[in-house]
């Protein structure tokens, strides 16, 4: 009897798995949310070129596109043949390179802004550009936290900041070590040689932060003859051991109270500035780096967040799940693969299991 029951359970599980696979492979009613960051005149690995971006927009020009601020009016349900176009951070090239193409094909899009840098950093949009795009009726602006800053998840040293480090990573890690405002081509050099540990968004978990005198103490270690003689591998191992044994000397653990204040400030300040500049109330949040808030999502809803946008790859149901809008990073696809992905209705869970 037991063997029979086990066999029936196994058959049922196999049928469920097969059914799940068939559902994903044959799914027709879904929408794709495209994600971009920058558009460069000449593309580089991880960043799409203007020409490639236009080719992608030509592919979707006959689809129905919507701004995030329109979703509530649609009852959070999109019609078939819909696609959402999104950009993270708010870089100037979104205006210079992407906006003319969006206007050319009448495609609507949403840009998630790091308001700390808007109008204060040459790599980012200024408010005149933001207003022009918003007033066009094609581009919406939503929340991406005020600073997009980081916290340390663990203290294992995995590398060192240098001139090869991503400028985005350097910029958004800067405030962990220094109090002044990040200036391109100046501040980045102050970070050269500092150790890299696993970092996540500071609205994801409390994490650790370097103490105020961290850089001063670290530079003394870095200049020591003993440290200079070590290989790169030995340096990482040495520092990991040192930071573990003397954690309280170099870092402090962010308290739950401080974490809560940081989360509130990052979202409310982000929201306040967009409200003030555009006379609209943003209610959508794209998690910085895709690192979701690990607390109760209702905490963020109380701050005014209605829809949560991730970086997890997958297709979305036409009836929008406000807790999880999955996206497709469109920067890295050939036009042939881009077309295939637009027709790929597999869910985020399916892609994670069968990747």
């Amino acid at each position: 009897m037991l063997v029979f029951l086990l066999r029936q359970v196994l058959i049922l599980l196999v049928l469920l798995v097969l059914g799940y696979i068939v559902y994903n492979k044959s799914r027709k009613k879904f929408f794709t949310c495209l994600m971009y960051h920058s558009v460069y005149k000449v593309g580089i690995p991880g960043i799409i070129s203007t020409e490639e971006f236009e080719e992608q927009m030509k592919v979707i020009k006959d689809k129905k596109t919507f701004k995030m601020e329109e979703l509530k009016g649609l009852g959070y349900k999109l019609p078939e043949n819909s696609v959402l176009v999104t950009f993270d951070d708010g870089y100037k090239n979104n205006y210079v390179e992407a906006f003319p193409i969006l206007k050319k094909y009448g495609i609507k899009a949403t840009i998630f802004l790091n308001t700390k840098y808007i109008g204060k950093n040459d790599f980012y949009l200024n408010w005149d550009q933001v207003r022009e795009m918003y007033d066009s009726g094609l581009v919406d602006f939503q929340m991406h936290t005020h600073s997009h800053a980081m916290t340390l998840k663990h203290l294992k040293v995995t590398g060192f900041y240098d001139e090869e480090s991503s400028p985005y990573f350097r910029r958004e890690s800067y405030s962990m070590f220094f109090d002044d405002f990040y200036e391109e081509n100046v501040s980045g050099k102050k970070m050269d040689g500092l150790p890299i540990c696993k970092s996540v968004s500071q609205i994801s978990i409390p994490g650790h932060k370097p103490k105020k005198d961290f850089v001063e103490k670290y530079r003394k270690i870095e200049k020591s003859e003993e440290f200079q003689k070590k290989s790169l591998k030995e340096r990482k191992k040495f520092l990991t051991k040192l930071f573990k044994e003397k954690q309280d000397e170099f870092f402090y653990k962010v308290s739950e109270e401080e974490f809560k204040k940081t989360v509130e400030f990052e979202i409310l300040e982000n929201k306040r500035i967009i409200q003030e500049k555009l006379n609209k109330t943003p209610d959508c949040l794209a998690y910085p780096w895709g690192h979701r808030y690990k607390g109760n999502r209702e905490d963020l809803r109380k701050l005014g967040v209605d829809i949560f946008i991730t970086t997890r790859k997958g297709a979305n149901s036409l009836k929008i799940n406000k807790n999880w809008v999955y996206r497709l990073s469109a920067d890295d696809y050939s036009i042939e693969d881009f077309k295939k992905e637009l027709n790929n209705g597999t869910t985020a869970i399916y892609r994670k299991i069968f990747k």
Side-chain angles (χ1 to χ4, degrees):
M1 185 66 178
L2 181 60
V3 172
F4 173 77
L5 288 174
L6 289 173
R7 185 181 294 120
Q8 294 301 107
V9 170
L10 182 59
I11 291 172
L12 179 60
L13 287 173
V14 169
L15 289 174
L16 286 172
V17 170
L18 289 174
Y20 184 67
I21 292 172
V22 170
Y23 165 76
N24 274 273
K25 290 294 187 180
S26 61
R27 190 180 183 201
K28 299 298 181 185
K29 294 185 178 182
F30 65 89
F31 76 88
T32 299
C33 185
L34 302 174
M35 176 178 66
Y36 301 92
H37 287 80
S38 286
V39 179
Y40 284 2
K41 191 168 287 294
V42 178
I44 61 174
I47 297 180
I48 196 169
S49 71
T50 306
E51 181 180 357
E52 291 168 329
F53 180 72
E54 180 162 11
E55 286 301 307
Q56 291 186 0
M57 295 303 100
K58 284 180 183 177
V59 171
I60 69 168
K61 65 183 176 63
D62 294 324
K63 291 183 176 290
K64 302 176 183 72
T65 58
F66 300 93
K67 300 175 290 183
M68 289 290 171
E69 67 180 7
E70 295 178 306
L71 300 185
K72 186 175 182 179
L74 293 167
Y76 305 105
K77 185 173 183 179
L78 296 183
E80 293 183 39
N81 199 35
S82 294
V83 63
L84 300 183
V85 179
T86 66
F87 296 81
D88 283 4
D89 304 329
Y91 297 113
K92 183 183 290 185
N93 56 62
N94 295 177
Y95 173 83
V96 175
E97 303 295 336
F99 185 45
I101 296 169
L102 296 174
K103 287 193 293 184
K104 182 176 179 179
Y105 297 105
I107 293 171
K108 295 179 179 179
T110 297
I111 298 176
F112 297 98
L113 289 180
N114 304 332
T115 40
K116 178 178 180 178
Y117 301 104
I118 303 303
K120 297 179 180 178
N121 183 297
D122 287 341
F123 281 77
Y124 285 79
L125 296 163
N126 61 47
W127 285 109
D128 287 338
Q129 292 166 333
V130 170
R131 289 190 196 93
E132 181 184 340
M133 296 170 83
Y134 185 64
D135 290 344
S136 74
L138 288 175
V139 184
D140 183 25
F141 292 89
Q142 294 286 343
M143 295 181 284
H144 200 36
T145 73
H146 180 56
S147 71
H148 206 286
M150 315 287 282
T151 191
L152 299 176
K153 185 175 183 179
H154 60 61
L155 304 179
K156 179 181 178 181
V157 177
T158 59
F160 299 88
Y161 293 94
D162 58 28
E163 59 185 12
E164 299 298 320
S165 301
S166 160
Y168 312 112
F169 182 52
R170 288 157 73 104
R171 185 186 305 122
E172 288 151 18
S173 302
Y174 186 78
S175 62
M176 287 195 296
F177 302 101
F178 303 101
D179 292 328
D180 57 322
F181 193 82
Y182 185 92
E183 295 183 33
E184 301 292 340
N185 303 319
V186 177
S187 301
K189 292 182 175 128
K190 290 168 63 176
M191 298 183 70
D192 286 347
L194 291 177
I196 296 173
C197 299
K198 174 66 176 177
S199 301
V200 295
S201 166
Q202 66 175 355
I203 72 156
S204 177
I205 61 171
H208 294 81
K209 292 287 182 75
K211 288 191 170 180
K212 291 292 184 183
D213 59 353
F214 175 87
V215 174
E216 180 184 354
K217 286 183 176 179
Y218 174 73
R219 292 304 187 197
K220 289 179 180 177
I221 295 170
E222 182 187 37
K223 292 175 182 177
S224 69
E225 185 177 348
E226 179 187 357
F227 189 79
Q228 289 294 319
K229 288 179 180 179
K230 295 181 185 295
S231 66
L232 180 61
K233 183 178 179 180
E234 289 170 335
R235 290 180 183 186
K236 290 191 285 188
K237 185 176 179 180
F238 168 78
L239 289 172
T240 298
K241 184 173 183 292
L242 177 67
F243 293 161
K244 183 178 181 180
E245 292 175 351
K246 298 187 177 182
Q247 177 178 315
D248 293 342
E249 183 178 335
F250 291 94
F251 305 92
Y252 71 91
K253 179 78 170 68
V254 178
S255 67
E256 287 294 335
E257 182 181 0
E258 182 182 349
F259 174 60
K260 181 180 178 182
K261 288 180 180 178
T262 295
V263 171
E264 289 181 354
F265 172 80
E266 285 291 325
I267 291 176
L268 292 179
E269 183 70 355
N270 201 203
K271 178 182 173 183
R272 180 192 69 78
I273 293 173
I274 293 173
Q275 279 181 315
E276 179 183 287
K277 298 294 186 179
L278 297 180
N279 194 30
K280 62 156 285 177
T281 301
D283 61 359
C284 302
L285 172 70
Y287 288 120
W289 305 94
H291 301 154
R292 67 181 178 84
Y293 175 65
K294 297 300 172 64
N296 188 331
R297 196 181 287 112
E298 291 305 309
D299 297 341
L300 304 189
R301 291 199 187 282
K302 291 175 183 176
L303 300 177
V305 180
D306 186 36
I307 302 178
F308 299 84
I309 293 88
T310 75
T311 58
R312 287 187 65 183
K313 184 177 178 181
N316 299 276
S317 299
L318 294 178
K319 180 63 177 178
I320 294 170
N321 178 353
K322 295 196 289 182
N323 292 332
W324 295 96
V325 175
Y326 303 112
R327 293 194 286 178
L328 176 71
S329 181
D331 299 295
D332 300 321
Y333 289 106
S334 66
I335 196 64
E336 292 78 18
D337 288 339
F338 179 75
K339 291 176 182 177
K340 289 178 184 177
E341 285 294 339
L342 286 175
N343 293 309
N344 183 352
T346 56
T347 63
I349 295 173
Y350 179 91
R351 295 186 192 210
K352 188 170 184 178
I353 294 172
F354 297 100
K355 63 181 178 180

